Amino acid sequence: MTESWWKRLRIRARHRRYVVRSNPRWHRIYRIAVAVVGTVVLLCGLVTIPYPGPGWLIVFLGLGILASEFDWAHRLLKFARAKYDAWMEWIGRQHWSVQSVFWIGTCAIVVGTLWLLGALHTAAGWANLHYEWLASPIFS
């Protein structure tokens, strides 16, 4: 019976991590690299949470990267995942009016940030609409 390519890849990755961990210098460099990459992915996820798309998935991916080397990140990942699941379950049990308030709030955050970044003014320009109130107060 032949092993799958995924299983062979996991075995190679574990072996390489063992080799890296056996050398203190390489292990320190590896931990720093994991910390930098995991933190960047986590911060990108935090920025994208209110927007449509995989914001929470990116947050959990960043925490997963950090959890591969840091115990505190593993504990935080388990805690955050439990709270996220509890929140989604709570929202799912609420009346449609309560759910609508959260959807409207999310839309307000998205539109507000698009306005602050000047995206609404740019999109209006594409449609040949020129309204001064659409201009960003930050980038105008």
Side-chain angles (χ1 to χ4, degrees), residues 14-33:
R14 282 189 190 143
H15 177 69
R16 287 187 181 162
R17 284 178 73 183
Y18 175 76
V19 169
V20 166
R21 286 181 177 159
S22 64
N23 182 334
R25 182 172 181 229
W26 282 108
H27 183 59
R28 188 176 313 113
I29 292 170
Y30 178 76
R31 284 177 63 95
I32 291 169

mmCIF file of all heavy atoms in Angstrom, residues 14-33:
data_model
loop_
_atom_site.group_PDB
_atom_site.id
_atom_site.type_symbol
_atom_site.label_atom_id
_atom_site.label_comp_id
_atom_site.label_asym_id
_atom_site.label_seq_id
_atom_site.Cartn_x
_atom_site.Cartn_y
_atom_site.Cartn_z
ATOM 1 N N ARG A 14 7.815 17.154 9.858
ATOM 2 C CA ARG A 14 8.127 16.831 11.254
ATOM 3 C C ARG A 14 9.615 16.563 11.430
ATOM 4 O O ARG A 14 10.207 16.988 12.422
ATOM 5 C CB ARG A 14 7.328 15.620 11.716
ATOM 6 C CG ARG A 14 5.923 15.936 12.049
ATOM 7 C CD ARG A 14 5.237 14.755 12.696
ATOM 8 N NE ARG A 14 3.821 15.024 12.774
ATOM 9 C CZ ARG A 14 2.886 14.116 12.597
ATOM 10 N NH1 ARG A 14 3.217 12.870 12.361
ATOM 11 N NH2 ARG A 14 1.627 14.447 12.682
ATOM 12 N N HIS A 15 10.208 15.857 10.487
ATOM 13 C CA HIS A 15 11.641 15.574 10.567
ATOM 14 C C HIS A 15 12.449 16.871 10.504
ATOM 15 O O HIS A 15 13.386 17.064 11.282
ATOM 16 C CB HIS A 15 12.065 14.623 9.444
ATOM 17 C CG HIS A 15 13.531 14.357 9.429
ATOM 18 N ND1 HIS A 15 14.157 13.631 10.418
ATOM 19 C CD2 HIS A 15 14.499 14.744 8.579
ATOM 20 C CE1 HIS A 15 15.445 13.578 10.169
ATOM 21 N NE2 HIS A 15 15.690 14.244 9.048
ATOM 22 N N ARG A 16 12.091 17.758 9.598
ATOM 23 C CA ARG A 16 12.813 19.033 9.491
ATOM 24 C C ARG A 16 12.640 19.879 10.744
ATOM 25 O O ARG A 16 13.573 20.532 11.182
ATOM 26 C CB ARG A 16 12.365 19.785 8.250
ATOM 27 C CG ARG A 16 12.900 19.138 7.003
ATOM 28 C CD ARG A 16 12.631 19.927 5.781
ATOM 29 N NE ARG A 16 13.171 19.185 4.641
ATOM 30 C CZ ARG A 16 12.830 19.388 3.412
ATOM 31 N NH1 ARG A 16 11.956 20.336 3.123
ATOM 32 N NH2 ARG A 16 13.348 18.676 2.437
ATOM 33 N N ARG A 17 11.453 19.877 11.308
ATOM 34 C CA ARG A 17 11.249 20.628 12.555
ATOM 35 C C ARG A 17 12.084 20.034 13.679
ATOM 36 O O ARG A 17 12.615 20.753 14.522
ATOM 37 C CB ARG A 17 9.769 20.651 12.920
ATOM 38 C CG ARG A 17 8.987 21.627 12.056
ATOM 39 C CD ARG A 17 7.544 21.633 12.367
ATOM 40 N NE ARG A 17 7.292 22.301 13.635
ATOM 41 C CZ ARG A 17 6.099 22.400 14.167
ATOM 42 N NH1 ARG A 17 5.057 21.889 13.554
ATOM 43 N NH2 ARG A 17 5.929 23.009 15.311
ATOM 44 N N TYR A 18 12.213 18.701 13.714
ATOM 45 C CA TYR A 18 13.053 18.061 14.719
ATOM 46 C C TYR A 18 14.509 18.482 14.549
ATOM 47 O O TYR A 18 15.188 18.803 15.520
ATOM 48 C CB TYR A 18 12.920 16.538 14.627
ATOM 49 C CG TYR A 18 13.856 15.806 15.546
ATOM 50 C CD1 TYR A 18 13.593 15.733 16.916
ATOM 51 C CD2 TYR A 18 15.009 15.212 15.061
ATOM 52 C CE1 TYR A 18 14.459 15.078 17.769
ATOM 53 C CE2 TYR A 18 15.881 14.561 15.910
ATOM 54 C CZ TYR A 18 15.605 14.498 17.255
ATOM 55 O OH TYR A 18 16.467 13.855 18.099
ATOM 56 N N VAL A 19 14.977 18.520 13.305
ATOM 57 C CA VAL A 19 16.351 18.922 13.034
ATOM 58 C C VAL A 19 16.559 20.378 13.449
ATOM 59 O O VAL A 19 17.567 20.721 14.073
ATOM 60 C CB VAL A 19 16.702 18.713 11.537
ATOM 61 C CG1 VAL A 19 18.022 19.365 11.177
ATOM 62 C CG2 VAL A 19 16.722 17.229 11.208
ATOM 63 N N VAL A 20 15.613 21.240 13.110
ATOM 64 C CA VAL A 20 15.721 22.662 13.473
ATOM 65 C C VAL A 20 15.716 22.814 14.995
ATOM 66 O O VAL A 20 16.496 23.586 15.550
ATOM 67 C CB VAL A 20 14.582 23.473 12.823
ATOM 68 C CG1 VAL A 20 14.462 24.849 13.446
ATOM 69 C CG2 VAL A 20 14.802 23.583 11.329
ATOM 70 N N ARG A 21 14.856 22.082 15.687
ATOM 71 C CA ARG A 21 14.765 22.205 17.144
ATOM 72 C C ARG A 21 15.998 21.662 17.850
ATOM 73 O O ARG A 21 16.294 22.059 18.973
ATOM 74 C CB ARG A 21 13.519 21.499 17.657
ATOM 75 C CG ARG A 21 12.267 22.274 17.349
ATOM 76 C CD ARG A 21 11.040 21.596 17.867
ATOM 77 N NE ARG A 21 9.873 22.434 17.585
ATOM 78 C CZ ARG A 21 8.655 21.980 17.553
ATOM 79 N NH1 ARG A 21 8.399 20.721 17.803
ATOM 80 N NH2 ARG A 21 7.661 22.802 17.283
ATOM 81 N N SER A 22 16.716 20.762 17.210
ATOM 82 C CA SER A 22 17.907 20.203 17.849
ATOM 83 C C SER A 22 19.085 21.182 17.814
ATOM 84 O O SER A 22 20.035 21.024 18.572
ATOM 85 C CB SER A 22 18.301 18.880 17.187
ATOM 86 O OG SER A 22 18.672 19.103 15.839
ATOM 87 N N ASN A 23 19.029 22.193 16.946
ATOM 88 C CA ASN A 23 20.090 23.203 16.864
ATOM 89 C C ASN A 23 19.561 24.488 17.506
ATOM 90 O O ASN A 23 18.644 25.111 16.976
ATOM 91 C CB ASN A 23 20.456 23.443 15.399
ATOM 92 C CG ASN A 23 21.580 24.434 15.215
ATOM 93 O OD1 ASN A 23 21.798 25.305 16.049
ATOM 94 N ND2 ASN A 23 22.277 24.299 14.100
ATOM 95 N N PRO A 24 20.138 24.931 18.644
ATOM 96 C CA PRO A 24 19.597 26.095 19.356
ATOM 97 C C PRO A 24 19.544 27.365 18.501
ATOM 98 O O PRO A 24 18.585 28.135 18.600
ATOM 99 C CB PRO A 24 20.553 26.277 20.537
ATOM 100 C CG PRO A 24 21.192 24.960 20.724
ATOM 101 C CD PRO A 24 21.242 24.321 19.373
ATOM 102 N N ARG A 25 20.550 27.574 17.678
ATOM 103 C CA ARG A 25 20.556 28.794 16.860
ATOM 104 C C ARG A 25 19.437 28.775 15.824
ATOM 105 O O ARG A 25 18.696 29.746 15.659
ATOM 106 C CB ARG A 25 21.908 28.943 16.165
ATOM 107 C CG ARG A 25 21.989 30.200 15.339
ATOM 108 C CD ARG A 25 23.391 30.412 14.815
ATOM 109 N NE ARG A 25 23.425 31.646 14.056
ATOM 110 C CZ ARG A 25 23.939 31.744 12.853
ATOM 111 N NH1 ARG A 25 24.493 30.697 12.289
ATOM 112 N NH2 ARG A 25 23.919 32.891 12.227
ATOM 113 N N TRP A 26 19.310 27.664 15.100
ATOM 114 C CA TRP A 26 18.261 27.551 14.091
ATOM 115 C C TRP A 26 16.876 27.564 14.731
ATOM 116 O O TRP A 26 15.920 28.092 14.165
ATOM 117 C CB TRP A 26 18.440 26.299 13.245
ATOM 118 C CG TRP A 26 19.501 26.468 12.218
ATOM 119 C CD1 TRP A 26 20.726 25.893 12.214
ATOM 120 C CD2 TRP A 26 19.451 27.297 11.059
ATOM 121 N NE1 TRP A 26 21.437 26.305 11.121
ATOM 122 C CE2 TRP A 26 20.681 27.170 10.390
ATOM 123 C CE3 TRP A 26 18.483 28.142 10.520
ATOM 124 C CZ2 TRP A 26 20.962 27.844 9.220
ATOM 125 C CZ3 TRP A 26 18.759 28.814 9.356
ATOM 126 C CH2 TRP A 26 19.984 28.657 8.713
ATOM 127 N N HIS A 27 16.797 26.971 15.924
ATOM 128 C CA HIS A 27 15.511 26.954 16.616
ATOM 129 C C HIS A 27 15.071 28.375 16.979
ATOM 130 O O HIS A 27 13.903 28.729 16.818
ATOM 131 C CB HIS A 27 15.609 26.091 17.877
ATOM 132 C CG HIS A 27 14.322 25.964 18.621
ATOM 133 N ND1 HIS A 27 13.178 25.447 18.056
ATOM 134 C CD2 HIS A 27 13.983 26.295 19.890
ATOM 135 C CE1 HIS A 27 12.204 25.462 18.931
ATOM 136 N NE2 HIS A 27 12.665 25.979 20.059
ATOM 137 N N ARG A 28 15.995 29.209 17.442
ATOM 138 C CA ARG A 28 15.681 30.595 17.771
ATOM 139 C C ARG A 28 15.242 31.361 16.520
ATOM 140 O O ARG A 28 14.257 32.089 16.539
ATOM 141 C CB ARG A 28 16.899 31.280 18.407
ATOM 142 C CG ARG A 28 16.596 32.648 18.953
ATOM 143 C CD ARG A 28 17.781 33.281 19.678
ATOM 144 N NE ARG A 28 18.440 32.386 20.611
ATOM 145 C CZ ARG A 28 19.685 31.909 20.460
ATOM 146 N NH1 ARG A 28 20.415 32.260 19.432
ATOM 147 N NH2 ARG A 28 20.204 31.094 21.347
ATOM 148 N N ILE A 29 15.971 31.171 15.419
ATOM 149 C CA ILE A 29 15.614 31.837 14.161
ATOM 150 C C ILE A 29 14.239 31.373 13.686
ATOM 151 O O ILE A 29 13.409 32.175 13.243
ATOM 152 C CB ILE A 29 16.700 31.576 13.091
ATOM 153 C CG1 ILE A 29 17.995 32.292 13.483
ATOM 154 C CG2 ILE A 29 16.227 32.013 11.710
ATOM 155 C CD1 ILE A 29 19.191 31.901 12.629
ATOM 156 N N TYR A 30 13.978 30.084 13.792
ATOM 157 C CA TYR A 30 12.694 29.524 13.379
ATOM 158 C C TYR A 30 11.552 30.111 14.205
ATOM 159 O O TYR A 30 10.512 30.497 13.674
ATOM 160 C CB TYR A 30 12.738 27.996 13.508
ATOM 161 C CG TYR A 30 11.448 27.320 13.147
ATOM 162 C CD1 TYR A 30 11.069 27.165 11.813
ATOM 163 C CD2 TYR A 30 10.584 26.827 14.122
ATOM 164 C CE1 TYR A 30 9.894 26.540 11.467
ATOM 165 C CE2 TYR A 30 9.403 26.204 13.790
ATOM 166 C CZ TYR A 30 9.064 26.065 12.458
ATOM 167 O OH TYR A 30 7.890 25.455 12.129
ATOM 168 N N ARG A 31 11.742 30.201 15.532
ATOM 169 C CA ARG A 31 10.701 30.768 16.407
ATOM 170 C C ARG A 31 10.445 32.230 16.080
ATOM 171 O O ARG A 31 9.301 32.680 16.090
ATOM 172 C CB ARG A 31 11.080 30.594 17.871
ATOM 173 C CG ARG A 31 10.868 29.179 18.369
ATOM 174 C CD ARG A 31 11.314 29.006 19.803
ATOM 175 N NE ARG A 31 10.569 29.811 20.738
ATOM 176 C CZ ARG A 31 9.516 29.395 21.434
ATOM 177 N NH1 ARG A 31 9.078 28.165 21.275
ATOM 178 N NH2 ARG A 31 8.908 30.199 22.287
ATOM 179 N N ILE A 32 11.496 32.970 15.786
ATOM 180 C CA ILE A 32 11.321 34.377 15.410
ATOM 181 C C ILE A 32 10.541 34.477 14.101
ATOM 182 O O ILE A 32 9.629 35.299 13.968
ATOM 183 C CB ILE A 32 12.682 35.094 15.320
ATOM 184 C CG1 ILE A 32 13.289 35.240 16.719
ATOM 185 C CG2 ILE A 32 12.549 36.455 14.651
ATOM 186 C CD1 ILE A 32 14.730 35.703 16.729
ATOM 187 N N ALA A 33 10.887 33.629 13.136
ATOM 188 C CA ALA A 33 10.179 33.650 11.846
ATOM 189 C C ALA A 33 8.705 33.292 12.032
ATOM 190 O O ALA A 33 7.823 33.937 11.456
ATOM 191 C CB ALA A 33 10.848 32.691 10.864
#
